[in-house]
mmCIF file of all heavy atoms in Angstrom:
data_model
loop_
_atom_site.group_PDB
_atom_site.id
_atom_site.type_symbol
_atom_site.label_atom_id
_atom_site.label_comp_id
_atom_site.label_asym_id
_atom_site.label_seq_id
_atom_site.Cartn_x
_atom_site.Cartn_y
_atom_site.Cartn_z
ATOM 1 N N LEU A 773 101.216 87.896 112.098
ATOM 2 C CA LEU A 773 102.387 87.089 112.448
ATOM 3 C C LEU A 773 102.953 87.391 113.819
ATOM 4 O O LEU A 773 103.153 86.486 114.600
ATOM 5 C CB LEU A 773 103.496 87.151 111.420
ATOM 6 C CG LEU A 773 104.793 86.350 111.567
ATOM 7 C CD1 LEU A 773 104.528 84.955 111.697
ATOM 8 C CD2 LEU A 773 105.760 86.756 110.486
ATOM 9 N N TYR A 774 103.215 88.706 114.053
ATOM 10 C CA TYR A 774 103.739 89.158 115.269
ATOM 11 C C TYR A 774 102.745 88.970 116.464
ATOM 12 O O TYR A 774 103.143 89.025 117.650
ATOM 13 C CB TYR A 774 104.271 90.560 115.182
ATOM 14 C CG TYR A 774 105.675 90.639 114.514
ATOM 15 C CD1 TYR A 774 105.778 91.161 113.267
ATOM 16 C CD2 TYR A 774 106.801 90.083 115.080
ATOM 17 C CE1 TYR A 774 106.993 91.268 112.614
ATOM 18 C CE2 TYR A 774 107.984 90.022 114.400
ATOM 19 C CZ TYR A 774 108.121 90.635 113.189
ATOM 20 O OH TYR A 774 109.348 90.683 112.542
ATOM 21 N N LYS A 775 101.450 88.985 116.120
ATOM 22 C CA LYS A 775 100.496 88.715 117.286
ATOM 23 C C LYS A 775 100.600 87.270 117.707
ATOM 24 O O LYS A 775 100.517 86.981 118.921
ATOM 25 C CB LYS A 775 99.137 88.889 116.808
ATOM 26 C CG LYS A 775 98.736 90.420 116.731
ATOM 27 C CD LYS A 775 97.327 90.584 116.281
ATOM 28 C CE LYS A 775 96.949 92.033 116.074
ATOM 29 N NZ LYS A 775 95.613 92.213 115.598
ATOM 30 N N ILE A 776 100.950 86.368 116.784
ATOM 31 C CA ILE A 776 101.066 84.943 117.167
ATOM 32 C C ILE A 776 102.383 84.596 117.827
ATOM 33 O O ILE A 776 102.421 83.938 118.863
ATOM 34 C CB ILE A 776 100.993 84.098 115.903
ATOM 35 C CG1 ILE A 776 99.535 84.264 115.313
ATOM 36 C CG2 ILE A 776 101.250 82.675 116.169
ATOM 37 C CD1 ILE A 776 99.467 83.672 113.864
ATOM 38 N N LEU A 777 103.447 85.144 117.344
ATOM 39 C CA LEU A 777 104.756 84.986 117.833
ATOM 40 C C LEU A 777 105.704 86.123 117.581
ATOM 41 O O LEU A 777 105.911 86.477 116.450
ATOM 42 C CB LEU A 777 105.365 83.660 117.174
ATOM 43 C CG LEU A 777 106.569 83.094 117.724
ATOM 44 C CD1 LEU A 777 106.581 82.702 119.207
ATOM 45 C CD2 LEU A 777 107.069 81.878 116.866
ATOM 46 N N SER A 778 106.227 86.614 118.643
ATOM 47 C CA SER A 778 107.056 87.863 118.488
ATOM 48 C C SER A 778 108.535 87.576 118.383
ATOM 49 O O SER A 778 109.356 88.405 117.932
ATOM 50 C CB SER A 778 106.731 88.938 119.631
ATOM 51 O OG SER A 778 107.012 88.335 120.760
ATOM 52 N N GLU A 779 108.959 86.384 118.878
ATOM 53 C CA GLU A 779 110.335 86.040 118.862
ATOM 54 C C GLU A 779 110.761 85.209 117.579
ATOM 55 O O GLU A 779 110.759 84.026 117.648
ATOM 56 C CB GLU A 779 110.712 85.221 120.154
ATOM 57 C CG GLU A 779 110.477 85.983 121.476
ATOM 58 C CD GLU A 779 111.432 87.118 121.454
ATOM 59 O OE1 GLU A 779 112.671 86.973 121.206
ATOM 60 O OE2 GLU A 779 110.976 88.191 122.013
ATOM 61 N N LEU A 780 111.006 85.994 116.595
ATOM 62 C CA LEU A 780 111.305 85.363 115.323
ATOM 63 C C LEU A 780 112.087 86.369 114.434
ATOM 64 O O LEU A 780 112.010 87.577 114.706
ATOM 65 C CB LEU A 780 110.099 84.806 114.582
ATOM 66 C CG LEU A 780 108.859 85.751 114.400
ATOM 67 C CD1 LEU A 780 108.972 86.743 113.414
ATOM 68 C CD2 LEU A 780 107.637 84.863 114.238
ATOM 69 N N ASP A 781 112.800 85.937 113.460
ATOM 70 C CA ASP A 781 113.431 86.748 112.535
ATOM 71 C C ASP A 781 112.738 86.568 111.139
ATOM 72 O O ASP A 781 112.571 85.507 110.696
ATOM 73 C CB ASP A 781 114.923 86.299 112.426
ATOM 74 C CG ASP A 781 115.778 86.534 113.623
ATOM 75 O OD1 ASP A 781 115.473 87.429 114.402
ATOM 76 O OD2 ASP A 781 116.728 85.826 113.821
ATOM 77 N N VAL A 782 112.376 87.706 110.604
ATOM 78 C CA VAL A 782 111.756 87.772 109.333
ATOM 79 C C VAL A 782 112.745 88.233 108.241
ATOM 80 O O VAL A 782 113.378 89.336 108.361
ATOM 81 C CB VAL A 782 110.500 88.726 109.398
ATOM 82 C CG1 VAL A 782 109.841 88.761 107.928
ATOM 83 C CG2 VAL A 782 109.452 88.203 110.304
ATOM 84 N N TYR A 783 112.845 87.548 107.125
ATOM 85 C CA TYR A 783 113.525 87.854 106.002
ATOM 86 C C TYR A 783 112.459 88.096 104.857
ATOM 87 O O TYR A 783 111.825 87.190 104.368
ATOM 88 C CB TYR A 783 114.425 86.721 105.598
ATOM 89 C CG TYR A 783 115.561 86.585 106.664
ATOM 90 C CD1 TYR A 783 115.230 85.763 107.754
ATOM 91 C CD2 TYR A 783 116.805 87.169 106.521
ATOM 92 C CE1 TYR A 783 116.292 85.608 108.794
ATOM 93 C CE2 TYR A 783 117.803 86.962 107.508
ATOM 94 C CZ TYR A 783 117.536 86.250 108.559
ATOM 95 O OH TYR A 783 118.479 86.012 109.478
ATOM 96 N N LEU A 784 112.379 89.341 104.438
ATOM 97 C CA LEU A 784 111.419 89.686 103.420
ATOM 98 C C LEU A 784 112.123 90.278 102.197
ATOM 99 O O LEU A 784 112.821 91.278 102.278
ATOM 100 C CB LEU A 784 110.380 90.679 103.971
ATOM 101 C CG LEU A 784 109.233 90.983 102.988
ATOM 102 C CD1 LEU A 784 107.903 91.260 103.890
ATOM 103 C CD2 LEU A 784 109.477 92.302 102.130
ATOM 104 N N VAL A 785 111.854 89.563 101.035
ATOM 105 C CA VAL A 785 112.380 90.076 99.818
ATOM 106 C C VAL A 785 111.323 90.996 99.208
ATOM 107 O O VAL A 785 110.134 90.533 98.918
ATOM 108 C CB VAL A 785 112.779 88.969 98.824
ATOM 109 C CG1 VAL A 785 113.071 89.522 97.468
ATOM 110 C CG2 VAL A 785 113.870 88.187 99.394
ATOM 111 N N ASP A 786 111.656 92.271 98.908
ATOM 112 C CA ASP A 786 110.778 93.206 98.224
ATOM 113 C C ASP A 786 111.271 93.205 96.831
ATOM 114 O O ASP A 786 112.408 93.733 96.566
ATOM 115 C CB ASP A 786 110.666 94.532 98.862
ATOM 116 C CG ASP A 786 109.720 95.492 98.013
ATOM 117 O OD1 ASP A 786 108.504 95.244 98.166
ATOM 118 O OD2 ASP A 786 110.267 96.139 97.214
ATOM 119 N N ASP A 787 110.518 92.821 95.839
ATOM 120 C CA ASP A 787 110.947 92.734 94.453
ATOM 121 C C ASP A 787 110.776 94.098 93.723
ATOM 122 O O ASP A 787 110.154 94.001 92.665
ATOM 123 C CB ASP A 787 110.346 91.533 93.785
ATOM 124 C CG ASP A 787 111.113 91.204 92.502
ATOM 125 O OD1 ASP A 787 112.345 91.515 92.433
ATOM 126 O OD2 ASP A 787 110.587 90.444 91.707
ATOM 127 N N ASN A 788 111.300 95.144 94.248
ATOM 128 C CA ASN A 788 111.274 96.405 93.596
ATOM 129 C C ASN A 788 109.902 96.983 93.608
ATOM 130 O O ASN A 788 109.482 97.649 92.521
ATOM 131 C CB ASN A 788 111.913 96.389 92.219
ATOM 132 C CG ASN A 788 112.456 97.655 91.739
ATOM 133 O OD1 ASN A 788 112.721 98.492 92.586
ATOM 134 N ND2 ASN A 788 112.641 97.887 90.517
#
Side-chain angles (χ1 to χ4, degrees):
L773 178 64
Y774 282 112
K775 283 181 187 175
I776 296 168
L777 187 62
S778 61
E779 296 298 318
L780 46 81
D781 292 333
V782 176
Y783 294 83
L784 186 143
V785 173
D786 179 78
D787 199 19
N788 205 22

